């Protein structure tokens, strides 16, 4: 039997606001435990929350970026449960009237673009963090009250791979809006999944299970593949699927049932009595629209149209808005767009990968790269030299000008100088010359290599090839 996999994802993104959702505490990542707390986020009796306007602005931005409808009046609710790192005994969240609803994002698939619906985007606050040590469990409440958006997809995802693409695309869109870093390692993006399977063509949904505790997008993909497989095996053996919550274990690569004690389905939601409803106006939404940055799809099509780049190149350059910014800064006033693209895609991305850094931390500024490539464009240095200079720039932090001058790296373009040098090399290799003349013309590469070695890569390639061919193709011995 053919089975259809049905997946819905719940993504939590941590907002990059300066202060928490309902108090003035700072949100700096990595601060000493419990150094960013106050009576409100510690849940002291009588302390009253005040909504951070920036949280609402961020939610509107997320809504606009995902074609969502925006609710003009939405309220907060208490989600009650007991946990040691939740001092109030409830999280402030939204329940019946989330601020955004009915949206979608488009993801690339092999059959073209596919729409994945979004049921809702709502605002809520984070809980604290328990740290289990050898000597017991410690609690850090810095994270308590940090604003989150929960983005809930429709069950439109049909494979673990599609779930991966959905997460990548959603992360890209959210990062472009600037409201979150979406850094899974720092916990600023978290994902839970619901999965069920049904016979192909069946309309009603099968019994679903919930998956938690995945720490990377690939982790999500693997956990979903595991769970889909498990459910199909069960159903084929005639066993029913039990509705339950499973925790992905990265070590064993298995999804294990949560202890039932930890499961709590009844949150006894009720309206938050300490906060008034959020009441939006057209002017407010208009103000946010006015400051919305360009989104990935728009930027992609602008790169193709404006710079004449291929779709593939544009996809790489716009994958992260910081890379797109870098490219646009570097290419300013530079004549050869394709050369710039080639160097950023090749060398700059290679450096980032090797050093495991983001482009913001790139040791080569856009201007420094442009200065280097201007030498190359004007044929003052060879491509080989340019790579050497770039590596030196990374190592020393010095400018291209300085390195080229200090090391005397300008190209040798003088025909006389190259002629003497090439004649010398040809005379030193009579065997290779003989073979070349007998038809082994690929030896031209060998001679080019010898010239480059002798000049440390500074010989102008075109002139060198020209002179070499003249000597090698000469018939007289
Ligand atoms: Zn606080």
């Amino acid at each position: 039997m053919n089975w259809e996999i049905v997946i819905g994802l719940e993504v939590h993104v941590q907002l990059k606001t300066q202060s928490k959702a309902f108090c003035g505490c700072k949100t700096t990542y990595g601060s000493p435990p419990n150094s960013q707390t106050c009576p409100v986020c510690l849940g002291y009796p009588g302390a009253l929350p005040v909504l951070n306007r920036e949280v609402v602005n961020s939610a509107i931005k997320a809504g606009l970026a995902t074609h969502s409808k925006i609710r003009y009046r939405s309220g907060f609710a208490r989600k009650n449960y007991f946990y040691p790192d939740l001092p109030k005994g409830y999280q402030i969240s939204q329940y019946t009237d989330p601020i955004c609803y009915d949206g979608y994002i488009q993801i690339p698939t092999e059959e073209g673009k596919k729409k994945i619906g979004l049921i809702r985007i709502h605002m809520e606050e984070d809980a604290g963090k328990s740290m289990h040590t050898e000597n017991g469990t410690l609690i850090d409440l810095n994270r308590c009250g940090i604003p989150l958006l929960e983005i809930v997809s429709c069950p439109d995802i049909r494979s673990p791979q599609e779930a991966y693409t959905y997460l990548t695309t959603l992360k890209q869109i959210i990062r472009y809006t600037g409201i979150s870093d979406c850094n899974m390692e720092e916990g600023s993006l978290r994902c839970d999944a619901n999965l069920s399977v049904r016979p192909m063509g069946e309309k009603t949904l099968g019994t679903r299970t919930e998956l938690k505790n995945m720490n990377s997008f690939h982790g999500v993909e693997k956990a979903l593949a595991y769970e889909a497989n498990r459910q199909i095996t069960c159903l084929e053996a005639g066993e029913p699927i039990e509705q339950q919550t499973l925790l992905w274990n990265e070590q064993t690569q298995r999804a294990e049932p949560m202890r039932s004690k930890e499961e709590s389905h009844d949150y006894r939601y009720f309206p938050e009595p300490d906060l008034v409803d959020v009441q939006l106006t057209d002017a407010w939404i208009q103000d946010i629209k006015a400051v919305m940055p360009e989104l990935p799809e728009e930027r992609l099509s602008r790169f193709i149209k404006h710079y004449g780049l291929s779709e593939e190149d544009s996809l790489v350059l716009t994958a992260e808005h910081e890379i797109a910014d870098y490219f646009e800064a570097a290419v300013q006033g530079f004549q050869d767009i394709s050369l710039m693209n080639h160097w950023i895609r090749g060398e700059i991305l290679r450096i980032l990968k090797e050093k495991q850094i983001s482009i913001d931390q790139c040791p080569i500024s856009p201007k420094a790269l442009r200065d280097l490539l201007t030498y190359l464009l004007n044929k003052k240095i060879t491509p080989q030299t340019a790579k050497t200079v770039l590596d030196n720039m990374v190592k020393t932090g010095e400018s291209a000008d300085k390195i080229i001058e200090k090391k005397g790296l300008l190209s040798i373009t003088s025909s006389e100088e190259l002629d003497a040098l090439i004649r010398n090399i040809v005379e030193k290799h009579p065997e290779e010359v003989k073979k070349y003349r007998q038809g082994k013309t690929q030896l031209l590469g060998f001679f080019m290599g010898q010239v480059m070695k002798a000049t440390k890569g500074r010989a102008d390639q075109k002139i060198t090839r020209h002179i070499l061919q003249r000597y090698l193709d000469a018939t007289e011995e």
Side-chain angles (χ1 to χ4, degrees):
M1 190 189 291
N2 264 336
W3 297 92
E4 184 176 43
I5 303 171
V6 178
I7 298 166
L9 296 178
E10 286 174 20
V11 171
H12 282 94
V13 297
Q14 182 182 314
L15 297 175
K16 229 166 59 174
T17 52
Q18 296 285 307
S19 54
K20 293 188 180 179
F22 304 109
C23 61
C25 289
K26 279 204 177 317
T27 55
T28 319
Y29 180 78
S31 299
N34 302 306
S35 62
Q36 297 175 343
T37 55
C38 74
V40 174
C41 54
L42 290 176
Y44 282 19
L48 290 173
V50 177
L51 177 60
N52 179 350
R53 191 183 175 95
E54 208 40 47
V55 174
V56 182
N57 291 345
S58 301
I60 298 172
K61 280 182 189 168
L64 292 173
T66 55
H67 314 274
S68 298
K69 292 183 181 130
I70 296 177
R71 203 184 300 272
Y72 278 70
R73 189 182 182 103
S74 70
F76 288 96
R78 288 189 181 178
K79 180 181 180 181
N80 300 282
Y81 60 96
F82 172 78
Y83 212 76
D85 59 21
L86 188 72
K88 289 203 296 276
Y90 60 85
Q91 262 176 299
I92 302 178
S93 182
Q94 293 194 286
Y95 191 48
T96 48
D97 48 2
I99 185 160
C100 308
Y101 60 104
D102 274 358
Y104 69 89
I105 67 168
Q106 299 204 83
I107 63 166
T109 68
E110 275 172 17
E111 294 88 46
K113 281 186 179 163
K114 178 176 172 181
K115 269 189 194 176
I116 306 290
L118 301 182
I119 298 172
R120 58 190 277 152
I121 299 176
H122 71 247
M123 304 177 274
E124 66 179 24
E125 60 174 341
D126 208 346
K129 201 167 75 180
S130 303
M131 294 176 291
H132 307 288
T133 71
E134 280 178 15
N135 302 319
T137 297
L138 303 170
I139 307 270
D140 177 7
L141 297 174
N142 281 349
R143 222 173 60 183
C144 238
I146 296 242
L148 306 174
L149 289 183
E150 182 171 333
I151 304 169
V152 183
S153 88
C154 300
D156 290 346
I157 299 165
R158 287 290 171 270
S159 69
Q161 294 79 4
E162 251 180 50
Y164 180 85
T165 311
Y166 167 83
L167 288 172
T168 317
T169 310
L170 183 66
K171 174 179 171 176
Q172 186 197 30
I173 293 170
I174 296 296
R175 278 180 47 84
Y176 259 72
T177 64
I179 61 174
S180 172
D181 291 329
C182 296
N183 186 334
M184 227 168 169
E185 286 87 63
E186 294 184 2
S188 65
L189 187 150
R190 283 163 258 162
C191 173
D192 299 333
N194 289 303
L195 182 144
S196 62
V197 298
R198 62 184 172 192
M200 198 61 89
E202 174 71 53
K203 287 278 173 277
T204 48
L205 291 167
T207 307
R208 69 193 169 117
T209 54
E210 196 180 349
L211 285 153
K212 287 179 179 285
N213 203 37
M214 290 87 71
N215 298 321
S216 66
F217 289 179
H218 281 302
V220 174
E221 192 180 353
K222 277 189 277 179
L224 289 168
Y226 172 91
E227 178 57 10
N229 215 356
R230 187 190 70 86
Q231 289 192 14
I232 291 168
T233 312
C234 275
L235 291 170
E236 287 184 343
E239 294 163 25
I241 303 298
E242 189 190 336
Q243 185 168 345
Q244 59 180 338
T245 303
L246 304 162
L247 292 181
W248 177 242
N249 186 329
E250 188 65 42
Q251 255 85 49
T252 59
Q253 299 279 302
R254 293 166 65 93
E256 294 152 1
M258 217 177 188
R259 277 172 292 156
S260 58
K261 215 166 63 174
E262 289 174 66
E263 258 187 282
S264 155
H265 285 301
D266 185 7
Y267 292 121
R268 294 177 290 119
Y269 279 99
F270 64 84
E272 164 62 62
D274 290 338
L275 287 164
V276 293
D277 285 352
V278 179
Q279 181 76 58
L280 299 180
T281 59
D282 284 327
W284 189 344
I285 296 170
Q286 217 46 54
D287 284 350
I288 300 297
K289 268 189 189 155
V291 296
M292 276 293 279
E294 196 178 28
L295 294 170
E297 281 185 354
E298 297 158 18
R299 201 158 196 185
L300 176 70
S301 60
R302 184 165 64 78
F303 268 48
I304 296 169
K305 253 185 236 148
H306 181 75
Y307 295 113
L309 291 164
S310 72
E311 184 172 355
E312 196 213 328
D313 287 331
S314 304
L315 276 169
V316 174
L317 292 175
T318 59
E320 289 174 34
H321 69 94
E322 291 93 341
I323 294 175
D325 290 346
Y326 185 98
F327 171 81
E328 295 207 278
V331 86
Q332 197 129 68
F334 189 73
Q335 263 80 40
D336 195 333
I337 286 164
S338 134
L339 182 71
M340 185 58 79
N341 164 54
H342 183 74
W343 274 71
I344 292 180
R345 279 199 61 177
E347 297 302 315
I348 297 296
L349 294 186
R350 173 185 64 81
I351 292 168
L352 300 184
K353 205 169 169 191
E354 275 173 16
K355 293 188 166 283
Q356 301 220 323
I357 52 173
S358 67
I359 198 144
D360 294 339
Q361 302 159 301
C362 181
I364 309 291
S365 72
K367 183 183 176 298
L369 180 65
R370 181 172 62 232
D371 289 347
L372 169 65
L373 295 189
T374 304
Y375 276 99
L376 184 58
L377 189 64
N378 297 334
K379 300 213 166 18
K380 286 189 176 164
I381 55 172
T382 63
Q384 199 179 339
T385 306
K387 285 190 185 172
T388 313
V389 176
L390 185 75
D391 285 341
N392 261 285
M393 288 165 76
V394 172
K395 256 183 234 147
T396 63
E398 288 177 337
S399 68
D401 286 334
K402 202 157 176 197
I403 292 165
I404 290 166
E405 199 203 302
K406 204 163 70 181
K407 301 202 169 203
L409 294 175
L410 288 178
S411 298
I412 305 170
T413 51
S414 150
S415 294
E416 290 91 75
E417 199 179 327
L418 285 174
D419 195 282
L421 192 129
I422 290 167
R423 188 200 308 204
N424 195 359
I425 286 172
V426 169
E427 279 169 1
K428 270 191 191 155
H429 297 90
E431 274 306 307
E432 284 80 2
V433 174
K434 207 170 133 193
K435 282 184 193 152
Y436 177 90
R437 286 178 182 160
Q438 282 165 355
K440 217 177 163 194
T441 50
Q442 62 268 41
L443 277 168
L444 182 67
F446 164 78
F447 285 101
M448 286 292 290
Q450 292 298 313
V451 176
M452 288 304 165
K453 205 169 141 194
T455 60
K456 294 198 171 79
R458 290 163 53 228
D460 181 277
Q461 288 207 7
K462 214 169 145 192
I463 302 173
T464 302
R465 180 171 287 121
H466 185 75
I467 298 174
L468 257 176
Q469 264 167 345
R470 208 178 60 219
Y471 277 111
L472 292 173
D473 293 340
T475 42
E476 75 276 19
E477 284 281 283

